[in-house]
Amino acid sequence: MSDLEPENEEKVAEQEQPAEMDPAKLLETTAALQEDEDLANIVTAEEYLMCKDVVLLEYEKQMFLDQVQADGLLVCAKGLSYERVLINILKAYSDSGNLVLVINSSDWEEKYYKSKMEPKYVHEVANTATERERVYVEGGLQFISTRILVVDLLKQRIPIELISGIIVLRAHTIIESCQEAFALRLYRQKNKTGFVKAFSSSPEAFTIGYSHVERTMRNLFVKHLYIWPRFHATVRGALQPWQTQTIELHVPLSQSMTAIQTHILDIMNFLVREIKRINRTVDMDAVTVENCVTKKFHKILQAQLDCIWHQLNSQTKLIVADLKILRSLMISTMYHDAVSAYALMKRYRSTEYALSNSGWTLLDAAEQIFKLSKQRVFNGQQEFEPEPCPKWQALTDLLTQDIPGDMHRCRRTEQPKVLILCQDARTCHQLKQYLTQGGPRFLLQQALHHEVPVGKLSDKYAKESQGSREAPSSAMKKPLKEEAASSQTSAAAAAASAAGLDELAQLLSESEAEGQHFEESYMLTMTQRMVQQEPLLDIKSDPDVSIFETIPELEQFDVTAALAAVPHQPYICLQTFKTESEGAMALEHMLEQLQPHYVVMYNTNVTAIRQLEVFEARRRLPPADRLKVYFLIHARTVEEQAYLTSLRREKAAFELIIDTKSKMVIPEYQDGKTDEAFLLFKNYDDELAGENAKSRQAGGQVSQAPKETPKVIVDMREFRSDLPCLIHKRGLEVLPLTITIGDYILTPDVCVERKSISDLIGSLNSGRLYNQCVQMQRHYAKPILLIEFDQNKPFHLQGKFMLSQQTSMANADIVQKLQLLTLHFPRLRLIWSPSPYATAQLFEELKLGKPEPDPQKAVAVGSDEPTAGEQLHFNSGIYDFLLRLPGVQTRNIHGLLRKGGSLRQLLLRSQKELEELLQSQESAKLLYDILHVAHLPEKDEVAGSTALLAAGKQFGAGSHNRFRKAAAESRRGRR
């Protein structure tokens, strides 16, 4: 009761206040009381979940409570979206008194979360530094790029102590050297009370590398790990009672497709055995036939072979490339139409490819594949009669018979709505063309597109060829927006190829140039939805409402009005599992908008299936009104195996994470909230050199002044790389500035220009590096060129592996140009670094016992205007020219510039006078000889002049005279 006594006293004091109080003051008092009451009504996390507007499933509530009560890393299964949990966490912290930063979000995630928040609490990131400082102080939520955040934290533009917390998305990508880890370290150094909450929905990513989970948690400064697999008891309890009605339709493959699949698997098996036989010493566990047909195969292989790619022989590299090609042939056979698959097969039947592959085209199985692919398109009389995709007929039966029959049985009066889900935009377009034009016409169009020689049509297709001439032009037209999107796609593809991917990445890249061209021509970018209305029997679409490209159009689209316009007909929507603009949330958005009665899974996808489960659990409908989901699946085929493999992989990943959590030891100070977090600071008083110095000074009795933290000036553009983060991690202070010369200034004399291998080759070719070295040598006593390798790549400059794709020069050319560079710039030092980690250590050692750089001077150097106290004593062009002359060096050039006068006066001076100027008899003789003695040409020069004379005779003797006449005429004109 003692706690309540002061409150009672306050109330009594309020009652005793005089009645003649000023109204303005009375209002202020009322507002203050209201504010106190609001503060008293602050809810706990459990009370927040009781609010009416908070709609979360049971497991989502538990996720929310876990993350609010203690900072941690949340890893959930794909499809069990943490998005709603995060939205409610953001809403709970939405207040102008809080500053919450969200980092590492993709574009679609940022757009999605902003749309769910109150606009007054979400602040856009300003362009200018001063504007950003003002926005930070206003509080609220900020979705910010990490590069900007790191610079603002280092420059102290952001009040670090006032940050309420940081939310990290896609936490599986946080490695020690990344910008996000840098920002979190800077934040934790000065803010011990704010929160860090991390989210990830990629459990497989945590299985790559050694102790990935522990390292990620250490980089995030969190101590708790929350694991939410699909087999979690709470998740099962939330989803089990609201199971959808699921019907699996096993569609048999045609005999030709089954045979092609078998033969491709045989060849894959042969190549896998061959690659393991050749590389007995290399760990090839990931190279299995099962993995070869799955989507993530190229990533698994790249992670395993990247470091040793240069050591593998040419046959191994060819096999890796051929496994990718065989996978694409398998996908084309299973998912694409017969004509497209045949067109792809034909490309690998060429002589050029036969000479450049690992030899699989010579096998009997390969011959059978080519033969069967042709049989799928042409009949026995070589007439054009392609077989349709097996799933087409099953889909037609569903739309025309099963779904209408089910509607009739259920006695539903409302209009049926069907959602068809496909794995990619190409399949989506294929189905749209099939449903709007019919299979035969679509296959004929594909033949014309792929330039497959049609020749004679069979009787069945003769009618279709006449119909195709009358095909509506609207089906093949491309809207302007789509053309723009296509051109952007091609531009992005060109940029990616120009970026200089290495050989392995190029081999294993997911999309080929031909694939991108196909997407472009078929106007299918991942951002488009295809929404169309289908009559019940004759399957023709209304072109006016067939396509909705962008999200706003889809939101404004009045579904009810469109359905009322076509009564008693199923409303069909074609949708990919995820899109570029909305990611995996595209499906959830579509389900909420469309509220479909039936879902047809044309392809299988783990994430989509779980999203359907969660959607149904949220609706809580009686069994009769729930979704009915049809699975169209080729049983006992590669398609089913790939689906089961993805399930098995995810389960194995979660089991590994659960096992890791049970064993891992987390230090109490890992969250960085205590001073024991020694990993944040490095004490420079404990250096070995310092200890030795102390022992010499009367046994360490003489007190020394504490050393200041070493500083490194870093150019703002360098924050795209990992190096500034690693420099800071070693205890050096990073000063971000915009400097003209160099990338890193270590001391007043040491300037470093950092080049990656691809950047080195590009700047050597363009001559940019030469100009950079001229500037560095002019202003710094010790210029350094740092050539830095990727830590995941081999540390040597041999083989095609390290070369950029857009250059054809050999390695010898690079070495020769570097030799020329060192000859031109004697003071330039080359440093070869195997990784950014080694570079950071090197910088630390280079700075030991050296003076600190001056930020003002570093910024002023190289700028057009001289700083105060600095005057340009000489012309830089003349300076560079004189340095090229024999006998002139950096030691004597300043005396020559001061006392030499002009070049004309230099020519008039005697050798004795030059000796006085240069302070050296030998140097004076070299300079005098080059200025006065006629030199005989070398043999090579003689040969070159002979060639010039021969060329002159070839072009005519009067050619030189013409030039002389022209010069004389121009002189006369001037007079």
Side-chain angles (χ1 to χ4, degrees), residues 453-588:
V454 174
K456 186 182 177 186
L457 299 179
S458 66
D459 296 338
K460 181 182 174 185
Y461 275 72
K463 296 174 185 176
E464 294 299 331
S465 66
Q466 294 171 1
S468 66
R469 290 173 197 154
E470 300 161 15
S473 60
S474 63
M476 298 301 288
K477 278 184 183 174
K478 289 173 73 171
L480 290 173
K481 287 183 184 176
E482 289 170 7
E483 286 182 1
S486 299
S487 64
Q488 285 170 7
T489 309
S490 61
S497 64
L501 296 171
D502 57 61
E503 192 181 354
L504 180 60
Q506 189 192 24
L507 279 179
L508 299 174
S509 59
E510 191 67 14
S511 57
E512 301 176 8
E514 290 79 12
Q516 293 197 350
H517 173 71
F518 178 87
E519 286 184 8
E520 240 176 70
S521 62
Y522 277 86
M523 64 188 181
L524 289 173
T525 56
M526 292 293 283
T527 54
Q528 296 172 14
R529 306 312 188 282
M530 300 203 165
V531 184
Q532 53 208 36
Q533 295 170 321
E534 309 285 346
L536 196 58
L537 298 170
D538 57 345
I539 308 184
K540 286 183 181 176
S541 72
D542 180 357
D544 294 331
V545 289
S546 61
I547 296 175
F548 291 87
E549 295 177 330
T550 55
I551 308 158
E553 286 176 355
L554 195 66
E555 286 170 352
Q556 292 159 14
F557 180 58
D558 190 352
V559 176
T560 318
L563 296 179
V566 276
H568 313 302
Q569 295 170 1
Y571 181 81
I572 296 171
C573 171
L574 286 163
Q575 166 84 28
T576 52
F577 293 130
K578 59 181 181 179
T579 66
E580 282 180 6
S581 63
E582 286 188 294
M585 296 305 294
L587 176 55
E588 191 177 315

Side-chain angles (χ1 to χ4, degrees), residues 160-203:
I160 302 176
E161 295 82 4
L162 302 180
I163 298 175
S164 305
I166 296 180
I167 290 173
V168 186
L169 304 183
R170 296 184 297 167
H172 51 274
T173 62
I174 307 300
I175 57 172
E176 187 181 37
S177 60
C178 71
Q179 298 289 337
E180 286 76 20
F182 191 6
L184 289 167
R185 197 179 324 121
L186 292 168
Y187 162 67
R188 264 291 172 252
Q189 276 186 353
K190 295 189 178 178
N191 187 324
K192 304 292 183 187
T193 55
F195 62 78
V196 176
K197 303 184 190 303
F199 296 84
S200 172
S201 59
S202 180

Side-chain angles (χ1 to χ4, degrees), residues 417-673:
K417 288 174 282 187
V418 184
L419 177 63
I420 302 174
L421 295 174
C422 313
Q423 65 179 355
D424 56 19
R426 178 174 181 159
T427 312
C428 206
H429 180 253
Q430 182 200 91
L431 288 182
K432 178 244 176 184
Q433 295 292 85
Y434 166 69
L435 291 173
T436 53
Q437 299 180 349
R441 186 184 297 170
F442 170 64
L443 290 170
L444 191 59
Q445 285 179 353
Q446 287 294 91
L448 296 172
H449 173 75
H450 289 292
E451 298 179 358
V452 174
V454 174
K456 186 182 177 186
L457 299 179
S458 66
D459 296 338
K460 181 182 174 185
Y461 275 72
K463 296 174 185 176
E464 294 299 331
S465 66
Q466 294 171 1
S468 66
R469 290 173 197 154
E470 300 161 15
S473 60
S474 63
M476 298 301 288
K477 278 184 183 174
K478 289 173 73 171
L480 290 173
K481 287 183 184 176
E482 289 170 7
E483 286 182 1
S486 299
S487 64
Q488 285 170 7
T489 309
S490 61
S497 64
L501 296 171
D502 57 61
E503 192 181 354
L504 180 60
Q506 189 192 24
L507 279 179
L508 299 174
S509 59
E510 191 67 14
S511 57
E512 301 176 8
E514 290 79 12
Q516 293 197 350
H517 173 71
F518 178 87
E519 286 184 8
E520 240 176 70
S521 62
Y522 277 86
M523 64 188 181
L524 289 173
T525 56
M526 292 293 283
T527 54
Q528 296 172 14
R529 306 312 188 282
M530 300 203 165
V531 184
Q532 53 208 36
Q533 295 170 321
E534 309 285 346
L536 196 58
L537 298 170
D538 57 345
I539 308 184
K540 286 183 181 176
S541 72
D542 180 357
D544 294 331
V545 289
S546 61
I547 296 175
F548 291 87
E549 295 177 330
T550 55
I551 308 158
E553 286 176 355
L554 195 66
E555 286 170 352
Q556 292 159 14
F557 180 58
D558 190 352
V559 176
T560 318
L563 296 179
V566 276
H568 313 302
Q569 295 170 1
Y571 181 81
I572 296 171
C573 171
L574 286 163
Q575 166 84 28
T576 52
F577 293 130
K578 59 181 181 179
T579 66
E580 282 180 6
S581 63
E582 286 188 294
M585 296 305 294
L587 176 55
E588 191 177 315
H589 189 202
M590 179 59 79
L591 288 169
E592 287 174 3
Q593 281 223 311
L594 191 65
Q595 296 287 327
H597 305 117
Y598 302 93
V599 176
V600 179
M601 297 284 287
Y602 192 78
N603 305 115
T604 51
N605 181 278
V606 178
T607 310
I609 291 166
R610 287 176 185 159
Q611 283 178 305
L612 291 172
E613 285 184 305
V614 172
F615 172 70
E616 203 53 66
R618 290 196 208 287
R619 294 204 300 177
R620 295 173 173 266
L621 296 175
D625 296 336
R626 286 181 203 161
L627 275 176
K628 189 168 270 191
V629 183
Y630 294 92
F631 283 91
L632 293 179
I633 191 165
H634 295 305
R636 295 185 296 282
T637 62
V638 169
E639 182 184 29
E640 187 180 42
Q641 183 58 47
Y643 172 68
L644 294 173
T645 303
S646 62
L647 275 177
R648 180 181 58 75
R649 266 204 204 135
E650 187 188 74
K651 185 170 179 284
F654 269 119
E655 285 172 351
L656 177 69
I657 295 170
I658 291 165
D659 182 55
T660 306
K661 184 181 179 180
S662 66
K663 294 174 182 174
M664 69 183 174
V665 178
I666 298 172
E668 190 61 35
Y669 53 76
Q670 182 163 298
D671 57 4
K673 293 184 179 181

Side-chain angles (χ1 to χ4, degrees), residues 146-274:
T146 325
R147 186 165 157 258
I148 292 172
L149 177 61
V150 165
V151 173
D152 284 352
L153 287 169
L154 285 168
K155 285 185 169 282
Q156 297 182 351
R157 291 177 183 146
I158 182 167
I160 302 176
E161 295 82 4
L162 302 180
I163 298 175
S164 305
I166 296 180
I167 290 173
V168 186
L169 304 183
R170 296 184 297 167
H172 51 274
T173 62
I174 307 300
I175 57 172
E176 187 181 37
S177 60
C178 71
Q179 298 289 337
E180 286 76 20
F182 191 6
L184 289 167
R185 197 179 324 121
L186 292 168
Y187 162 67
R188 264 291 172 252
Q189 276 186 353
K190 295 189 178 178
N191 187 324
K192 304 292 183 187
T193 55
F195 62 78
V196 176
K197 303 184 190 303
F199 296 84
S200 172
S201 59
S202 180
E204 289 98 329
F206 290 103
T207 62
I208 299 166
Y210 177 69
S211 63
H212 194 148
V213 184
E214 295 101 305
R215 283 187 287 119
T216 305
M217 290 175 68
R218 195 160 57 243
N219 297 331
L220 290 165
F221 295 96
V222 294
K223 293 195 294 185
H224 298 277
L225 176 62
Y226 306 114
I227 309 166
W228 289 93
R230 172 63 180 85
F231 53 80
H232 196 291
T234 315
V235 177
R236 276 192 307 195
L239 300 182
Q240 198 75 32
W242 313 102
Q243 286 282 312
T244 58
Q245 303 173 58
T246 307
I247 299 155
E248 267 193 41
L249 300 175
H250 288 186
V251 182
L253 291 174
S254 66
Q255 289 184 348
S256 303
M257 288 173 75
T258 310
I260 290 171
Q261 177 186 266
T262 308
H263 290 312
I264 291 176
L265 287 173
D266 285 346
I267 296 171
M268 278 184 166
N269 195 25
F270 167 74
L271 291 179
V272 165
R273 279 188 282 116
E274 189 69 10

